[in-house]
Amino acid sequence: MAQSALEVLQEVFGYDSFRGSQHEIIETLIQGGDALVLMPTGGGKSLCYQIPALVRPGTGVVVSPLIALMQDQVDALNELGVNAAYLNSTQDWQTAREVEREFLTGQLDLLYVAPERLLTDRCLDLLARGQISLFAIDEAHCVSQWGHDFRPEYLGLDLLAQRWPGVPRVALTATATQLTRVEIAQRLKLEEARHFVASFDRPNICYRIIEKNEVRKQLLSFIQEEHSGDAGIVYCLSRSRVEDTAEFLCKNGIHALPYHAGLDAQQRAINQARFLREEGVVMVATIAFGMGVNKPDVRFVAHIDLPKSVEGYYQETGRAGRDGEAATAWLAYGLQDVVQLYRMINQSQGDAAHRRQQGQALDAMLGLCETISCRRQRLLAYFDQQIEPCGNCDTCLEAPEAWDGTVAAQKMLSTIYRLWRERGQRFGAGHLIDILLGKLTDRVKEHEHDKLTVFGVGKELTDQAWRGVLRQLLAHSLVTVDPEGYGTLLLTDASREVLKGERTLMLRRETVTRGPAAHRVKGQAPAGPALEPDQQRRFEALRAWRAATAREHGVPAYVIFHDATLREVAIRCPSSEADLEPITGIGVRKREAYGEALLRCVQEFQTQ
Ligand code: ADP
Ligand code: ZN
């Protein structure tokens, strides 16, 4: 007799209840309906197709773009006693034959396939000869041509609707805007599908955005002071920055590895595997890294360059703290980032509409950086979700001071206005500030800018403060970057109101480096329960056992048990198999496989 969804959740996965709309999604699919699922990273999307695949007769076919990660997904399922396999180009043909045979004889619960593989005649033929319980299309935003993860093969997946009209299909993504959702539904022929849009809030992530000055040093002290020994991801915009930063961190005793599209495929795979399998690795990467990496215990995501959109930023930071325990999203950005990104957009290929869209995306990102209200409120508003101030972001924890920046803005704007006549001379932000501060640089002398009336009128602010003013003027669209290139700054229509004194401008005061201590003390992130010294030692012993077991099986440690599970074992101190049952993350299969070892580990520790 078929098991119910709840029984599968408890017995196979070892969890006691569903999260959010998981149950409804699962029931929709079990009953043969289609679904479109939008849930943040870490929200629990996988169960939404894994459980119906186990309940319905036949094999669930999972389309996933990430060949390199299929092995880990399948290993994790096998550890749970689920019959899962994958078909991809990394296998030799005998292995592929064997998987095909298992599929045809109905032995597989789940089959993972890359889209390009799925669309081959051979694979479509194979699927037509077996029984399919459902199709799950993971990372469904890859079908969006405007998105940053576009995969042309995804466009071919509408064929599943035509060939298998009776098989339920579910598309899943963590990319949330209305636009993307509509595009997914349309391109994947999911017009009839029920939409499930989960809350996008990730309360355990503390968002912090700081001003960049010596960014590598700032990064290093952030890691050393707050995340020493933790796994994390550092995002950079360019390959060379990835290389430099990884090298810098390594020199300073941090176990860092680089990842970018310029490394050969084998090196990338090795670095990724080390990030997943070893503890406490920091991956320094371009945005090429991270999609589908479902490592649950990434404790921080740091950006040392300004991301190009809020959507991308949210997806990248969402890779922190999937296990629900406290994690940090840390971003350092400066004036230079802003100017450079606007320049890149202006100079990019593509039509005006596309450039405008990119410009607006960047405006929104900048708005988030310069906000004086709750970061999370801003972030979620972007996904049409309203919340109260969160209490777990830098502006909530340490409210920034606002000051009347009208006069300062006027000084800056008139300087820009005065230089406008010399357009084409490529005067960047630094030069503007030199003029305001009255610095007699070579450039100033060469162009006789010391003769301007604005020369030296801004000595009441520091260089750093002026950079803050300029950034905020950009964020408020009172200044823009010359579309003709070179990063020259120009006035906008709105600037006039400020220049004429018709509008007051409240600005955010640059705080001196925000100390982590304040955040620690006041932070409300739901960290795991604090362990007593005894429990902590037990926890360490369990972790050591887990590391050895994972190595033996050739799988990442979290595939054996999550930290949360080991922590619960350390606290409850079980003495029999029955004591293990209520512990989260220990299903029937894992109890059989590892129950004894867990108990022995706890006992040995007792008697020491
Ligand atoms: P997503 O694919 O949405 O990023 P996952 O499917 O990887 O998220 O799930 C995130 C984590 O939450 C996983 O470790 C998973 O085992 C766990 N999880 C999912 N659903 C539940 C649940 N109902 N109860 C407890 N843990 C869950
Ligand atoms: Zn907040």
Side-chain angles (χ1 to χ4, degrees):
M1 209 191 77
Q3 279 185 305
S4 76
L6 185 63
E7 281 165 352
V8 174
L9 178 77
Q10 293 171 339
E11 287 175 20
V12 178
F13 295 90
Y15 300 141
D16 25 282
S17 55
F18 287 108
R19 269 193 205 157
S21 43
Q22 276 179 334
H23 200 191
E24 258 185 292
I25 298 166
I26 289 168
E27 287 302 331
T28 303
L29 291 165
I30 289 178
Q31 280 153 31
D34 295 337
L36 177 51
V37 174
L38 286 89
M39 248 186 222
T41 310
K45 286 185 285 298
S46 336
L47 289 188
C48 295
Y49 58 82
Q50 288 167 351
I51 292 183
L54 290 171
V55 173
R56 282 174 67 90
T59 304
V61 176
V62 185
V63 182
S64 162
L66 303 148
I67 292 178
L69 296 164
M70 285 182 186
Q71 176 81 55
D72 284 344
Q73 282 161 337
V74 164
D75 284 345
L77 286 162
N78 291 340
E79 283 288 335
L80 292 166
V82 174
N83 290 320
Y86 60 82
L87 282 174
N88 70 31
S89 48
T90 65
Q91 277 161 324
D92 56 47
W93 69 269
Q94 286 109 320
T95 317
R97 278 287 158 78
E98 178 55 23
V99 171
E100 290 175 6
R101 196 189 58 75
E102 284 176 356
F103 169 73
L104 289 172
T105 51
Q107 297 172 54
L108 289 182
D109 299 313
L110 282 153
L111 175 62
Y112 285 75
V113 199
E116 59 278 8
R117 174 72 168 240
L118 178 90
L119 295 171
T120 59
D121 288 339
R122 181 182 170 91
C123 191
L124 289 169
D125 267 3
L126 172 78
L127 295 184
R129 285 186 289 137
Q131 189 183 15
I132 297 171
S133 58
L134 60 83
F135 286 106
I137 301 164
D138 206 4
E139 312 288 355
H141 64 282
C142 290
V143 81
S144 162
Q145 275 167 309
W146 292 119
H148 44 61
D149 292 325
F150 176 57
R151 305 267 174 138
E153 314 85 67
Y154 263 66
L155 294 173
L157 294 175
D158 57 349
L159 155 159
L160 299 179
Q162 288 141 21
R163 290 228 187 169
W164 285 274
V167 175
R169 287 173 305 134
V170 53
L172 309 103
T173 178
T175 297
T177 57
Q178 174 75 19
L179 214 67
T180 321
R181 197 196 321 173
V182 171
E183 203 178 349
I184 293 172
Q186 188 201 349
R187 292 196 193 278
L188 294 178
K189 298 252 175 328
L190 281 166
E191 284 99 348
E192 308 277 299
R194 263 187 79 181
H195 289 207
F196 295 91
V197 182
S199 161
F200 266 72
D201 193 9
R202 297 286 309 282
N204 59 316
I205 299 179
C206 179
Y207 294 93
R208 282 164 47 201
I209 301 181
I210 65 160
E211 201 199 349
K212 190 192 266 196
N213 38 60
E214 286 176 282
V215 72
R216 293 196 311 193
K217 275 196 198 154
Q218 290 171 299
L219 175 69
L220 182 64
S221 46
F222 163 67
I223 298 177
Q224 285 173 335
E225 286 164 27
E226 299 178 52
H227 286 288
S228 164
D230 285 346
I233 306 175
V234 177
Y235 281 112
C236 313
L237 270 190
S238 69
R239 295 172 188 185
S240 61
R241 233 166 127 70
V242 166
E243 296 282 351
D244 293 349
T245 310
E247 203 186 303
F248 171 80
L249 290 178
C250 284
K251 270 198 201 127
N252 286 280
I254 306 235
H255 187 1
L257 295 171
Y259 189 103
H260 58 71
L263 294 174
D264 67 56
Q266 200 192 354
Q267 191 59 47
R268 280 205 307 269
I270 291 173
N271 289 2
Q272 175 163 294
R274 290 186 59 189
F275 176 71
L276 295 174
R277 274 147 218 255
E278 294 172 23
E279 303 228 17
V281 175
V282 173
M283 190 68 115
V284 184
T286 58
I287 56 168
F289 177 75
M291 184 170 53
V293 169
N294 54 5
K295 185 174 169 61
D297 54 356
V298 175
R299 294 270 67 86
F300 69 90
V301 169
H303 284 84
I304 59 167
D305 291 308
L306 187 66
K308 292 177 183 164
S309 72
V310 175
E311 212 172 343
Y313 170 72
Y314 202 61
Q315 215 168 43
E316 283 140 30
T317 53
R319 291 171 187 145
R322 276 179 185 236
D323 52 11
E325 303 198 19
T328 317
W330 184 93
L331 159 65
Y333 95 111
L335 181 58
Q336 213 42 50
D337 288 294
V338 185
V339 176
Q340 191 195 344
L341 279 183
Y342 278 115
R343 258 179 69 183
M344 272 167 61
I345 293 172
N346 288 336
Q347 292 168 353
S348 73
Q349 311 288 314
D351 56 17
H354 192 206
R355 276 204 297 272
R356 194 164 339 109
Q357 198 195 16
Q358 288 182 306
Q360 283 163 356
L362 184 54
D363 292 344
M365 189 62 220
L366 201 51
L368 172 71
C369 293
E370 296 296 350
T371 185
I372 27 187
S373 57
C374 171
R375 305 265 190 217
R376 196 181 311 268
Q377 247 175 356
R378 271 303 267 253
L379 272 170
L380 292 174
Y382 190 76
F383 302 113
D384 297 322
Q385 203 183 318
Q386 269 99 43
I387 54 151
E388 294 296 307
C390 73
N392 191 27
C393 73
D394 53 1
T395 55
C396 281
L397 292 168
E398 195 179 342
E401 252 177 82
W403 61 290
D404 185 342
T406 315
V407 173
Q410 285 168 340
K411 290 178 181 174
M412 177 59 86
L413 294 172
S414 21
T415 311
I416 292 174
Y417 176 72
R418 300 238 143 65
L419 294 193
W420 178 75
R421 273 166 281 173
E422 298 170 61
R423 249 180 117 177
Q425 289 281 355
R426 311 187 193 186
F427 298 122
H431 186 64
L432 290 170
I433 295 172
D434 286 342
I435 294 175
L436 284 162
L437 291 174
K439 285 194 192 162
L440 271 174
T441 63
D442 292 346
R443 210 95 220 267
V444 165
K445 282 190 249 170
E446 181 192 343
H447 295 275
E448 302 193 335
H449 286 160
D450 50 334
K451 306 246 164 67
L452 295 174
T453 50
V454 287
F455 185 75
V457 298
K459 289 182 181 160
E460 72 280 17
L461 296 182
T462 60
D463 181 276
Q464 190 196 6
W466 276 117
R467 287 177 176 272
V469 170
L470 198 45
R471 277 198 331 262
Q472 296 182 71
L473 290 173
L474 280 157
H476 288 104
S477 299
L478 292 166
V479 168
T480 157
V481 178
D482 188 351
E484 317 264 285
Y486 307 134
T488 306
L489 298 165
L490 301 178
L491 299 185
T492 66
D493 289 342
S495 318
R496 190 185 322 207
E497 286 173 31
V498 178
L499 271 171
K500 283 179 153 179
E502 292 166 4
R503 175 171 165 190
T504 23
L505 197 64
M506 296 308 285
L507 297 180
R508 176 187 176 115
R509 181 161 333 263
E510 298 310 322
T511 32
V512 207
T513 10
R514 285 148 197 279
H519 301 282
R520 277 276 175 74
V521 180
K522 290 189 262 169
Q524 315 178 333
L531 296 181
E532 318 249 316
D534 235 26
Q535 299 169 336
Q536 181 65 36
R537 280 194 297 272
R538 232 173 355 250
F539 179 57
E540 297 304 335
L542 287 160
R543 273 165 63 106
W545 163 80
R546 179 182 66 178
T549 312
R551 248 195 318 276
E552 218 171 274
H553 293 215
V555 297
Y558 62 80
V559 163
I560 306 290
F561 285 118
H562 283 187
D563 279 356
T565 303
L566 295 190
R567 190 173 290 122
E568 216 179 313
V569 172
I571 293 172
R572 287 181 182 237
C573 203
S575 56
S576 72
E577 294 250 339
D579 291 348
L580 291 171
E581 199 169 333
I583 295 176
T584 312
I586 310 187
V588 172
R589 172 63 175 259
K590 287 202 174 162
R591 199 164 65 235
E592 280 168 15
Y594 304 120
E596 228 172 279
L598 283 178
L599 294 173
R600 205 175 323 122
C601 200
V602 171
Q603 258 155 26
E604 266 169 28
F605 193 79
Q606 280 326 46
T607 51
Q608 266 171 24

